[in-house]
Amino acid sequence: MINALTALDGRYARLTKEFADIFSEYGLIKHRVFVEIEWLKFILIDLKLESFEDLNTEMLDNIAQTFDQEDARKVKEIEKQTNHDVKAVEYFIKNKLDLLGLSHMKEWVHFACTSDDINNTSYALMLKKGKEIVVALLRQLIFDLEQKAIQYKSIPMMSRTHGQPASPTTVGKEFINFAWRLLQEADIIEQTKVQAKINGATGNYNAHYFVYPEINWIKASQRFITSHLNLAPIFFTTQVNPNHSIAFVLHAMIRAGATIIDLDRDMWGYISLGYFTQRVKEGETGSSTMPHKVNPIDFENSEGNMGIAISMMEHLCVKLQKSRFQRDLTDSTVLRSLGSVFGFFAIGVKNALKGLSKIDLNNKAIQKDLDNNQELLAEPFQTAMRIFGEENPYERLKELTRGQKITKKDLVKFVDSLEKVPLDFKERMKSLTPETYVGLAQELVDLYFKQKKG
């Protein structure tokens, strides 16, 4: 939409469409209708608060199952009179029951419920669907990183600490670092149980107990939430759900998002160094004035949108756990941005995936840096000198290498000057190159897959 207010519904609508039916106004109203119908069925069928010989659950289910955007518009029209979004849903369902010839049961709609009984359960269902999509996206990114790790497992690469040349690694090992970090968060998000409550105006089942004291309402609400909604019950609340499960999920998404930004920045840097090239798509323009450029725009886009997602998630995580006394409405307005959080997060993941799909390793550039930085061997050499009792090993290597380039000949000459290192180990030192000084990088890649498998 060219006139969309936000990028989520405009420029990036193609990347966020799977969230539209879940987190849009239509999605929220649809989930509210579903919860209201399930609660109505529960109190009439499970609790048998009143017996109706002509009770047709298919007719009730049909109200929720056939709910469409036209129905949502009818709810919004009712809301213009009620100025209350949940009450509008209640009246919509009652109107439907009238049309179905079920007017005699309509006063059981919304029985003993406060608005947040319907809202928190609806958002819980929405969160559950949203996190499933996020987990799928993260697992796709993890898979792509794992494939890069396998592909480049044995390709040596000079590391950089503080941006300066440092002990070599392998390209594959660096990819597996990110895969491992994201795997932790994907598992946490997937395993987090989404909680919901349905316990009345201040969380004490006051109205429920007043009219039906013989019913164990705590067990009843537990049964409804687990069997009808497939959510985890929470009992200790005020009028509102304290939203711990939202915080659990979003905090894990924040950590995943931070990891993805770390990946984006590293890939941006490696492309800048020439370690990776980007495949060119015919017709694309890299710069409006410099025709030669192929910019790392996918990783930049991922970083920018993920940053927005993180800032929003940080606010929601903290704000949604606060409510004045037993209820205020600040959570209600903030929860309406939950879909935006998932949208920006998805854009961040999808653009990181897109960036990874377009890169190719530039072996020549990587090899050149290894060959031109023989001083990387100062670390293993001074470590060996310590073992064999050479005097001032660190200081001597520092004098030889710090702030200056040296050649292989310089290192060979230095090794020959050592007095306490055995000849056979000297030969081992002379044969070492930055390319072969990668430690157990390859074995660590193998360990990742072994641990993941078993």
Side-chain angles (χ1 to χ4, degrees):
M1 289 173 54
I2 200 68
N3 62 340
L5 182 61
T6 74
L8 292 174
D9 299 313
R11 185 176 185 85
Y12 300 128
R14 72 191 189 284
L15 300 177
T16 59
K17 58 185 179 181
E18 66 263 58
F19 295 106
D21 283 348
I22 301 173
F23 291 104
S24 62
E25 182 77 356
Y26 160 70
L28 174 58
I29 297 172
K30 185 174 183 178
H31 283 92
R32 284 168 170 164
V33 170
F34 172 77
V35 172
E36 291 276 16
I37 293 297
E38 289 300 308
W39 180 244
L40 178 62
K41 287 162 53 182
F42 179 76
I43 61 177
L44 296 181
I45 298 171
D46 186 301
L47 298 181
K48 297 180 173 57
L49 299 191
E50 185 166 334
S51 178
F52 296 110
E53 293 181 2
D54 59 346
L55 181 60
N56 188 326
T57 57
E58 289 184 8
M59 294 175 71
L60 296 178
D61 288 335
N62 197 51
I63 295 174
Q65 291 170 0
T66 63
F67 189 88
D68 57 19
Q69 293 189 24
E70 182 56 35
D71 286 327
R73 280 188 277 271
K74 291 177 182 176
V75 173
K76 296 301 291 183
E77 284 299 313
I78 298 172
E79 188 183 342
K80 289 179 181 178
Q81 273 72 51
T82 62
N83 197 30
H84 195 289
D85 48 4
V86 177
K87 200 67 177 176
V89 170
E90 177 188 341
Y91 287 161
F92 168 82
I93 294 173
K94 287 180 175 180
N95 292 340
K96 281 284 189 180
L97 293 176
D98 284 336
L99 293 172
L100 292 170
L102 301 174
S103 300
H104 51 290
M105 68 175 62
K106 68 181 185 180
E107 289 308 322
W108 290 101
V109 176
H110 202 71
F111 171 79
C113 288
T114 187
S115 297
D116 201 63
D117 285 334
I118 307 304
N119 271 340
N120 92 98
T121 46
S122 296
Y123 275 111
L125 293 169
M126 294 156 68
L127 175 67
K128 190 174 180 180
K129 293 176 182 177
K131 81 184 186 77
E132 288 172 358
I133 297 173
V134 161
V135 168
L137 284 171
L138 287 176
R139 295 212 185 281
Q140 182 60 58
L141 180 55
I142 291 164
F143 176 80
D144 285 14
L145 290 168
E146 290 172 346
Q147 294 307 299
K148 296 289 185 189
I150 293 170
Q151 184 180 0
Y152 304 131
K153 179 177 78 168
S154 55
I155 304 297
M157 181 184 79
M158 185 180 76
S159 293
R160 279 178 167 77
T161 59
H162 306 279
Q164 306 305 306
S167 299
T169 182
T170 69
V171 178
K173 167 57 170 37
E174 298 313 299
F175 278 113
I176 217 66
N177 288 343
F178 289 109
W180 180 85
R181 292 166 64 186
L182 290 172
L183 183 61
Q184 316 308 302
E185 307 309 337
D187 287 346
I188 289 171
I189 296 168
E190 185 171 51
Q191 294 163 13
T192 297
K193 293 180 179 180
V194 180
Q195 299 171 324
K197 69 98 184 180
I198 187 158
N199 54 12
T202 56
N204 303 317
Y205 307 95
N206 302 51
H208 311 64
Y209 183 72
F210 177 72
V211 292
Y212 287 104
E214 69 276 13
I215 293 176
N216 186 329
W217 284 105
I218 295 174
K219 287 187 176 180
S221 69
Q222 179 182 23
R223 193 162 63 250
F224 172 72
I225 290 167
T226 55
S227 63
H228 282 252
L229 304 183
N230 197 25
L231 298 169
I234 180 172
F235 304 109
F236 311 105
T237 78
T238 58
Q239 185 179 122
V240 296
N241 186 326
N243 295 310
H244 280 239
S245 11
I246 294 179
F248 266 112
V249 171
L250 295 189
H251 272 130
M253 288 173 63
I254 287 171
R255 295 190 299 271
T259 300
I260 291 169
I261 289 178
D262 199 20
L263 169 67
D264 292 331
R265 291 177 175 176
D266 275 11
M267 294 310 303
W268 188 97
Y270 289 136
I271 291 168
S272 178
L273 292 168
Y275 284 12
F276 290 95
T277 59
Q278 298 176 98
R279 287 188 288 278
V280 177
K281 185 176 181 180
E282 187 176 353
E284 282 189 348
T285 298
S287 167
S288 62
T289 185
M290 293 174 279
H292 67 284
K293 295 184 73 179
V294 184
N295 297 329
I297 55 174
D298 299 311
F299 294 112
E300 292 173 339
N301 186 295
S302 174
E303 179 182 346
N305 281 289
M306 194 58 80
I308 295 174
I310 289 173
S311 65
M312 295 181 72
M313 288 188 288
E314 287 176 335
H315 176 64
L316 265 68
C317 284
V318 176
K319 193 278 144 293
L320 290 176
Q321 294 184 79
K322 299 174 183 175
S323 181
R324 292 174 181 86
F325 300 126
Q326 281 67 51
R327 178 68 164 124
D328 69 37
L329 271 176
T330 53
D331 68 314
S332 179
T333 189
V334 171
L335 276 167
R336 291 182 178 275
S337 295
L338 193 58
S340 297
V341 164
F342 280 88
F344 283 115
F345 187 92
I347 295 168
V349 177
K350 289 181 179 181
N351 276 294
L353 282 165
K354 185 179 179 183
L356 287 174
S357 72
K358 293 162 60 175
I359 60 170
D360 291 308
L361 193 68
N362 184 351
N363 291 80
K364 290 183 178 179
I366 289 177
Q367 188 62 49
K368 183 179 178 181
D369 266 354
L370 290 168
D371 293 340
N372 290 343
N373 286 277
Q374 296 295 318
E375 59 272 16
L376 297 176
L377 301 181
E379 181 194 37
F381 282 14
Q382 62 97 8
T383 303
M385 290 166 65
R386 291 174 188 269
I387 297 298
F388 293 108
E390 293 282 350
E391 292 185 5
N392 303 317
Y394 179 87
E395 289 74 18
R396 289 161 68 183
L397 265 302
K398 175 182 173 183
E399 183 179 351
L400 176 68
T401 62
R402 191 166 192 256
Q404 56 189 325
K405 292 291 180 183
I406 59 172
T407 65
K408 182 66 175 178
K409 289 182 178 179
D410 295 325
L411 283 176
V412 170
K413 183 179 179 181
F414 179 83
V415 171
D416 285 336
S417 72
L418 299 176
E419 298 177 352
K420 296 183 180 180
V421 176
L423 289 176
D424 60 338
F425 202 90
K426 282 187 178 182
E427 291 305 313
R428 187 178 171 192
M429 293 171 72
K430 291 177 184 179
S431 65
L432 186 65
T433 66
E435 185 177 355
T436 58
Y437 181 52
V438 293
L440 299 175
Q442 296 180 56
E443 288 80 357
L444 287 167
V445 174
D446 293 334
L447 177 62
Y448 167 88
F449 288 104
K450 182 179 180 181
Q451 289 185 342
K452 186 180 179 185
K453 184 177 180 181

